[in-house]
Amino acid sequence: MRLSQAFQPTLKEVPAEAQIASHRLMLRAGLVRQTSAGIYAWLPAGLRVLRNIAQIVREEQDAIGAQEVLMPTLQSADLWRRSGRYEAYGPEMLRIEDRHGRELLYGPTNEEMITDLFGSAVRSYKELPQLLYQIQWKFRDEIRPRFGVMRGREFYMKDAYSFDADYEGAVRSYYRMMLSYLRIFRRLGVVAVPMAADTGPIGGELSHEFLVMAPTGESGVFYDSDWDAIDWTQAPLDPENPQDLEKLQHLVATTYSATDEKHDVQVWEKLPLEKRREGRGIEVGHIFYFGTKYTEAMGIEVSGPDGQPFAPQMGSYGIGVSRLVGAIIEASHDENGIIWPTEVAPYRFSLLNLRPGDEACDRVCGALYGADPDNILYDDRSERAGVKFNDADLLGLPWQVIVGPRSAKNGLVELKNRATGERTELPLAEAARQLGLTGLQT
Ligand code: 5CA
């Protein structure tokens, strides 16, 4: 993408309403714009990040055998009356009436709808277990939307639902999902620690929330540094193997982590000092096991091996996809702007042409840009170098390739690492190789 043509409205002024870094940076870098309180339009660069996150979530959910569906955002009030949650959910639910006076709502979550779908299709225990997910917009009329996309009213969520024949199966589904979450957050380049949690309006008895460490987090957190050390993408745990899931369950039960609400000082003080990690966290995921709460309330049964009908056991599993965009920035930025982890960055690198019109600069930039124009952000604007440097730091792609007239004449470019600020001058072909660019035309 050529920056001269991109729809990327950056802001010079720090927006007054934005209280935290991620909100300020998302507005300043031109990732989102607020359209009404707690509701945001995603602009091209922001949308690319949102999609990258969703894609990693999708790959890892598929990898544990979950199947993707897409349910509507609008649901009928009657569906929610069957579970008893229509009244119980309260003013956070956006209630709507259609032209025939029928009551609808904009879904804040989808337990009822998926349970109904499941019930209309599955007849026998032989069709269990089932694991379904979607990535869809939700609406919760939060009393105080704030911190930008972090606590929005309309937000993008991955929600998954499991159906099992018995308690043991349901617990396996729960830990299979937990393993998938640990892999997802690792791939997203953040440390997210699972912590035992309360269940709130979703209900149930077993629940963990996943918190990303960031100083502006809403909860205080305490955890064992082992959580930082494990690379879950490399862990030899097979989501299909019940013994591996038991190992994970054991590890979670014995490796300390707690929000301030559940903190146990006595257990904490048994940990060696150098293993204690303390800070604040942002909730980016939440998983629940709630047994037959919804299947029973809604009268959903399948037939068992003995021919007797029974209500399947359920769990539900959320990830705040749009919240993660803010949470990743909270965890990874400096005074100059965002520092994207490679896997979610909106483009591979910024290409800074310091003198458009200069023959050598244009030639070197053209060669690099031509290798992957969809995924390179090419600053070809006729702006001062300082403006280009500032904008590139603000948007925070992991690498910047800086092309000035003197070095370009000698076939050299400068490679800047956004995270460390380190700059190295090297031949064009070598820079392309380091950036993983193939098909360079020189
Ligand atoms: N039905 C369950 C699991 S699918 C559920 O709704 N869980 S939840 O309420 O915990 O939401 C799941 C995730 O959505 C949260 O962990 C959080 O990351 C995200 N989320 C919740 N409310 C908001 C909000 N107002 N703005 C942005 N993200 C939110």
Side-chain angles (χ1 to χ4, degrees), residues 57 156-159 181 184-185 284-286 317-321 324:
V57 169
Y156 205 37
M157 192 208 284
K158 187 285 300 183
D159 42 323
Y181 275 37
I184 288 168
F185 294 124
V284 291
H286 203 155
Y317 314 89
I319 289 184
V321 177
L324 265 164

Side-chain angles (χ1 to χ4, degrees), residues 406-426:
R406 230 168 310 152
S407 43
K409 215 159 52 191
N410 301 317
L412 299 173
V413 299
E414 220 181 338
L415 198 57
K416 176 177 161 184
N417 180 309
R418 173 65 182 87
T420 64
E422 208 178 306
R423 293 165 73 141
T424 35
E425 197 173 49
L426 67 186

Side-chain angles (χ1 to χ4, degrees), residues 147-256:
F147 302 155
V149 300
M150 207 96 87
R151 182 171 297 284
R153 292 199 297 162
E154 192 183 32
F155 59 98
Y156 205 37
M157 192 208 284
K158 187 285 300 183
D159 42 323
Y161 305 86
S162 62
F163 297 87
D164 280 272
D166 52 23
Y167 175 77
E168 289 70 28
V171 169
R172 279 197 296 277
S173 291
Y174 185 89
Y175 284 97
R176 185 174 296 144
M177 195 51 89
M178 186 180 282
L179 181 57
S180 177
Y181 275 37
L182 292 165
R183 290 185 173 160
I184 288 168
F185 294 124
R186 185 79 194 196
R187 280 187 63 188
L188 293 174
V190 290
V191 174
V193 182
M195 314 210 173
D198 294 325
T199 55
I202 309 293
E205 56 193 69
L206 174 61
S207 174
H208 285 85
E209 50 191 10
F210 290 75
L211 287 106
V212 166
M213 298 309 124
T216 45
E218 290 184 286
S219 324
V221 294
F222 303 83
Y223 68 96
D224 184 323
S225 63
D226 282 359
W227 286 113
D228 288 341
I230 307 167
D231 180 354
W232 294 98
T233 60
Q234 303 298 322
L237 292 177
D238 174 0
E240 295 309 313
N241 182 338
Q243 271 133 31
D244 283 359
L245 296 173
E246 275 169 28
K247 272 191 216 158
L248 176 62
Q249 185 173 0
H250 178 75
L251 188 142
V252 172
T254 53
T255 312
Y256 191 80

Side-chain angles (χ1 to χ4, degrees), residues 317-353:
Y317 314 89
I319 289 184
V321 177
S322 49
R323 173 177 289 185
L324 265 164
V325 180
I328 292 171
I329 297 173
E330 284 302 321
S332 184
H333 70 272
D334 64 15
E335 64 282 6
N336 298 323
I338 304 166
I339 304 173
W340 289 115
T342 306
E343 288 239 35
V344 300
Y347 300 92
R348 298 170 77 151
F349 59 87
S350 283
L351 176 59
L352 279 58
N353 187 338

